[in-house]
Every structure is written in C-alpha cells, then in structure tokens.
Amino acid sequence: MPMLKILVGTMYGGALDVAEQVRPLFEAAGYEVAVLEQPTVADVTDSPTDLALFCVSTTGSGDFPGNFVPFARGLDEQSPSLSGLRYGLIALGDSSYGETFCGAGRQLDEMLQGLGANRLGERLEVDAMETFMADDAALPWVEEWIDAQQLKVA
C-alpha cells in the first residue's frame, strides 16, 4: 500500500482539521495515511513517501505557523534534493491581510519546487473571508485532485 504523508502547519488547528477531514478520501483511494503535526525534513527525505500533501495556514505577516518553522528552516538550511517528491498543497489564509494572503503556502510551494519537488495540479488557496470551514473547500478539491492525478491505487 503506498504511503501518503500529510504535513501540517497550523496555529489554531484549522489546517489539522483539514488534514483529518481529507484523510478518509486518500484511505478510500488505497493509501496508507500519516498525518504529521510536527513535520521534519526527514519525513520527506529519509522514509518512503509516495505522495505528500501539505496543509499549511499562514500567520502574522505571511509567516509559517510555529509548529512548521523547524521544517521550513530545515529545508532552507539543508537544501535536500526533493526530485522524487510528488506533492499537493492546501494553503489557508485570510485575504483581508492583502499581499501576505496564503503567504506561508506560497513560500512553501516555491521552496519545494526550488528543491526539485513536483507539485501535482494547482495549489488550493482557502480564504477565511469567503469560506468559514476550510474543509468545505478542501474536500471537493482533494476528490478532484485524486481523480485528476490518477492517484487511486485499487
């Protein structure tokens, strides 16, 4: 059974809630799923990862949430080759913050691609000003993402 890791960056639990809500969709598609609330670079470099999904909220002025800072810093400092990593990205933000809207997700996307990772499909950006419950946007996006990337295993 292929492994999907959902790496979560959250401040108040919204991104973790999204991860937990989409988990069953991947399990139904034939994946073993691990939700990682304290992700490390080793999670995407040292152990088998067939697919990764990042669920990351933005804090402050476009910053990573505290639990995700060590992961982002590790990517920056270690510059590992991620050429074998296929991933998707759900970025949570609030458009009332203007230019920093979904800043953490956008910055992560840029970092991952700069290290050779391959994003599958488009990044989902969930705006708290338009979508009260982020999983209302994430669930249909994940269903389409799985189908579009032909990620079903069974």
Side-chain angles (χ1 to χ4, degrees):
M1 183 177 288
M3 169 60 79
L4 166 77
K5 293 180 183 173
I6 304 178
L7 294 88
V8 178
T10 192
M11 192 72 166
Y12 301 111
L16 178 59
D17 182 56
V18 168
E20 294 294 348
Q21 294 295 320
V22 301
R23 175 187 212 148
L25 299 176
F26 287 102
E27 290 171 340
Y31 282 83
E32 179 181 347
V33 180
V35 175
L36 306 171
E37 296 178 55
Q38 297 292 325
T40 66
V41 172
D43 290 326
V44 293
T45 59
D46 296 351
S47 58
T49 304
D50 297 296
L51 190 62
L53 178 66
F54 293 88
C55 292
V56 182
S57 60
T58 298
T59 64
S61 299
D63 303 318
F64 291 110
N67 75 305
F68 205 78
V69 168
F71 177 81
R73 187 175 295 137
L75 287 179
D76 192 44
E77 292 171 356
Q78 298 172 31
S79 295
S81 170
L82 298 179
S83 59
L85 181 65
R86 299 178 316 140
Y87 73 96
L89 180 59
I90 299 174
L92 284 67
D94 184 327
S95 63
S96 69
Y97 285 86
E99 291 183 15
T100 63
F101 170 63
C102 287
R106 293 174 181 179
Q107 184 180 345
L108 175 63
D109 205 9
E110 194 173 292
M111 291 171 76
L112 293 169
Q113 290 184 28
L115 294 169
N118 180 27
R119 187 183 71 221
L120 303 176
E122 295 299 316
R123 173 180 64 233
L124 173 64
E125 294 185 351
V126 181
D127 184 359
M129 293 295 289
E130 295 178 5
T131 307
F132 179 69
M133 298 295 292
D135 54 328
D136 287 345
L139 289 166
W141 180 87
V142 167
E143 287 174 341
E144 289 178 23
W145 191 69
I146 290 171
D147 289 342
Q149 306 310 321
Q150 300 177 340
L151 299 176
K152 292 186 178 164
V153 177

